[in-house]
Amino acid sequence: METPVFEEFDAASDCDCPGCRYRAGVPPHSPTGRRTMIVATATAAALGASGAAALPAAAHAPLRPGVPADDEPDTPQGARAPLHGPAGRPAPAPGTQLATISRTEIINRAKTWVAAKVPYSMTAYWSDGYRQDCSGYVSMAWKLPTNEWTGSLGTVADRITKSELQPGDILLFHNASDPQKGSHVVIFGGWTDGTRTAYTAYEQTPPNARKLATPYAYWSNSAKYLPYRYKGVAASPVSTAGGAPAAASGYPGASSFGPGANNRHVTELGRMLAARGAGRFYSSGPGPRWSEADRRATEAFQLAQGWRGREADGLPGPGTWRLLTEGRGKDVPAAATGPASHGVAGYPGRAMFRPGAENPYVTRLGERLVRKGFGRYYTTGPGPRWGEADRRAVQAFQRTQGWRGGAADGYPGPETWRRLFP
């Protein structure tokens, strides 16, 4: 069902890409403006193709979840081009041998642009030589020898099914009939839970690269996004217990966990466990200091996989870490009983959702709002710390219920919770 959008909550775009600058100066649905856009895009494509195969330009996908695609600005992507652009070294000929890369390296490369907040541009090239649009981002993450576009990424990848998706694969929508409208690509970072209805997406989008929980397959044109796997990705064994190779999973080592441990890996573990249904074991946090809550949450996740004995000792081995980081395995089942306030099962009370609050219920609330179509307020996360993005997302949901005034203040009461978690 299409999520209603309230105009007063749609902030003006701060993107300065050519498409958005053009959109800002032309009245909506202007026939004259549309013709001008096509000419400008064709010119940009011709310039970008210097020294490379002359392929038509394509358009970036809609970037405001919940807004009808027809109301989105056209934000074209560049054509196939050499590294560093037309002035760079010539693009390799089609059919050139592809370099092998691991899934861990793909995700780590994707994270570098997110951390640097690389701004979106269809004409600019980042210091590593890759074009700062959606297809350039995938080209960078896959370590391709050239900047591809949505119309050519499929030539270096194989079609796969939804059930085969693993971190480092992509979800691609190339509108061959009208590349100007909707074409986009995102990197799959892993499922957010066992239902496989949402996943972590890494994507290059105005205003900059981001990592965000995203409903499968995408916010708009969902049925048109197809999963692909890079032909050069290194095969990696999948662990079913605790003995997976540490290097293959990015596992930080057994010394990072257990009594006395105090480091960022403990925090990361706790947040992943909370997202997989083990949040109830934490009364606060998760945090960097190892605690009994971490052990119990880890044990619950291990038991959910059917592991017993030393495989479910509450200390995360490489296998546990791999399943969590890749979004694989079974979630921790819900407890037979849980918090209840005002007669609403699962609702932990208003105190959990106030400025300064940090707990697993905030994460759970944010993830639910994203799945319901209210994720456009999050630039990162959702996470355990209550923020303005959470409040605005809750308020937008409340307004779709027809509530106004104090009933739509952005703070989840028991009725809001009941409707979000029926």
Side-chain angles (χ1 to χ4, degrees):
M1 182 177 70
E2 189 72 14
T3 303
V5 177
F6 295 89
E7 185 176 351
E8 62 267 32
F9 289 104
D10 281 337
S13 173
D14 59 358
C15 174
D16 64 350
C17 74
C20 291
R21 288 201 304 269
Y22 173 81
R23 174 83 173 191
V26 178
H29 312 299
S30 165
T32 303
R34 179 63 177 169
R35 286 196 296 272
T36 304
M37 185 62 180
I38 294 173
V39 172
T41 303
T43 304
L47 292 173
S50 175
L55 297 175
H60 202 287
L63 272 308
R64 286 184 292 155
V67 181
D70 289 343
D71 291 339
E72 288 295 328
D74 290 327
T75 51
Q77 62 178 318
R80 188 173 186 269
L83 296 182
H84 301 285
R89 60 178 181 269
T96 300
Q97 181 67 34
L98 298 173
T100 300
I101 188 171
S102 69
R103 296 187 180 281
T104 299
E105 186 176 359
I106 292 173
I107 296 302
N108 286 340
R109 289 173 67 85
K111 288 178 178 179
T112 61
W113 276 29
V114 174
K117 296 186 177 180
V118 175
Y120 174 85
S121 173
M122 69 170 186
T123 56
Y125 292 80
W126 196 238
S127 58
D128 53 19
Y130 292 96
R131 191 177 54 244
Q132 295 166 214
D133 59 13
C134 60
S135 49
Y137 183 47
V138 172
S139 300
M140 180 278 298
W142 282 359
K143 211 173 183 178
L144 298 180
T146 186
N147 285 285
E148 302 294 340
W149 72 304
T150 56
S152 62
L153 281 171
T155 65
V156 296
D158 296 315
R159 275 287 309 277
I160 58 175
T161 64
K162 175 183 177 181
S163 62
E164 293 174 314
L165 275 167
Q166 295 184 49
D169 297 334
I170 61 171
L171 289 161
L172 172 66
F173 169 34
H174 176 64
N175 188 358
S177 62
D178 185 4
Q180 291 284 346
K181 195 174 184 63
S183 299
H184 188 45
V185 61
V186 302
I187 299 171
F188 179 83
W191 299 108
T192 59
D193 60 35
T195 66
R196 298 196 173 189
T197 56
Y199 64 99
T200 298
Y202 294 88
E203 61 178 324
Q204 178 66 349
T205 174
N208 49 250
R210 72 179 184 182
K211 171 187 176 184
L212 184 67
T214 302
Y216 187 85
Y218 197 65
W219 302 101
S220 56
N221 294 312
S222 180
K224 298 178 181 179
Y225 279 78
L226 302 175
Y228 281 84
R229 175 167 298 159
Y230 174 48
K231 292 180 179 179
V233 70
S236 57
V238 177
S239 168
T240 58
S249 64
Y251 178 59
S255 61
S256 296
F257 308 103
N262 187 350
N263 57 73
R264 64 182 178 85
H265 301 299
V266 177
T267 303
E268 184 179 2
L269 171 73
R271 288 175 177 170
M272 290 190 293
L273 288 167
R276 300 297 298 273
R280 66 177 181 271
F281 295 99
Y282 295 91
S283 57
S284 62
R289 186 179 296 279
W290 179 267
S291 68
E292 178 63 12
D294 296 297
R295 190 200 66 76
R296 293 180 61 203
T298 302
E299 181 183 44
F301 179 77
Q302 292 168 333
L303 290 172
Q305 314 314 308
W307 305 345
R308 296 295 183 268
R310 285 184 295 177
E311 292 180 351
D313 59 1
L315 296 172
T320 300
W321 188 262
R322 178 189 291 277
L323 292 181
L324 288 169
T325 56
E326 295 185 355
R328 298 165 62 85
K330 298 179 180 179
D331 287 351
V332 176
T337 59
S341 178
H342 297 76
V344 177
Y347 178 59
R350 296 179 185 273
M352 292 293 181
F353 311 104
R354 284 292 182 267
E358 183 174 358
N359 57 74
Y361 300 107
V362 176
T363 303
R364 185 183 178 199
L365 173 71
E367 290 173 346
R368 188 68 172 182
L369 287 164
V370 167
R371 290 176 201 157
K372 289 285 189 179
F374 299 90
R376 65 182 179 275
Y377 300 101
Y378 295 95
T379 55
T380 59
R385 183 180 294 277
W386 178 264
E388 179 62 12
D390 298 294
R391 192 197 67 78
R392 293 186 66 196
V394 171
Q395 186 176 54
F397 173 78
Q398 291 169 333
R399 284 178 171 265
T400 65
Q401 312 306 304
W403 304 343
R404 295 296 182 270
D409 60 1
Y411 295 98
E415 183 60 19
T416 299
W417 189 272
R418 186 186 67 79
R419 296 192 184 197
L420 279 170
F421 300 93

